[in-house]
Structures are given as structure tokens and as C-alpha cells.
Amino acid sequence: MIVRSLVWFALGIVGGFVAAHMVNKDPRGQEVLAQLDSRIGEFTDHMSDAYRQQETRLSEIIDDVKSVASSAVDKTADAVDEAAAAAKKAASPSD
């Protein structure tokens, strides 16, 4: 069963190459293939642009999260220092 599927797959690939070669011999076929190539190029350009935009958005979000996390760590450290100072002051005997 698998061998039969592989044979059909290989025949499909070979048939595709033969058909493309025959279409490429005809000037109208060349024009069609050139248009197809142009549209594929436009599609890949659009996909690349969309990927870069998403990458930029994610980078900005990550930078914002890092900033918020850093601020939270700083505020927590300040609160711990204040609590430690207050505990130290409360624990020391008053004169």
C-alpha cells in the first residue's frame, strides 16, 4: 500500500515537471508562469512584512513587560527595606 502511494507520488512529481516544461515552451505558457511567479513573490513579500510587524509588536510587548517587572521588583525591594528598617527600629530598646 505504501509502495503504491509512493509510486503515484513520484509519478505526480514527474508529470508536474513534464507539464511545466511543456507549458514553458509556449510563449503564452511563459507569460502565465511569469505571472504566477510574480504573484507568489508578492504573497511572500506580504507574508514577510506581516511577520516583521508581528515581531516588532511582540518585541514592544516584551519590553513593556520587562519594564513593569523591573519596576515591581524595585518597589518590592524598597518595601522590604522599609519593613526591615521598621522592624529593626521596633526591636531596638528605646532610651
Side-chain angles (χ1 to χ4, degrees):
M1 189 69 157
I2 293 175
V3 174
R4 186 183 307 172
S5 296
L6 289 175
V7 168
W8 281 111
F9 180 73
L11 285 174
I13 290 175
V14 170
F17 278 115
V18 169
H21 181 70
M22 292 177 72
V23 168
N24 197 31
K25 284 184 177 182
D26 183 18
R28 292 176 298 180
Q30 289 176 351
E31 184 179 328
V32 169
L33 290 177
Q35 288 176 352
L36 179 63
D37 185 48
S38 173
R39 289 182 181 176
I40 290 173
E42 288 175 11
F43 176 76
T44 57
D45 290 344
H46 288 299
M47 292 300 292
S48 296
D49 291 343
Y51 176 82
R52 285 189 206 98
Q53 288 174 356
Q54 286 297 85
E55 186 177 38
T56 301
R57 287 181 191 152
L58 286 174
S59 178
E60 290 170 355
I61 290 171
I62 289 170
D63 290 343
D64 289 346
V65 168
K66 285 180 182 179
S67 175
V68 168
S70 177
S71 177
V73 167
D74 291 343
K75 288 181 180 182
T76 303
D78 291 344
V80 168
D81 289 343
E82 289 175 10
K88 189 175 185 180
K89 183 177 179 183
S92 67
S94 302
D95 289 321

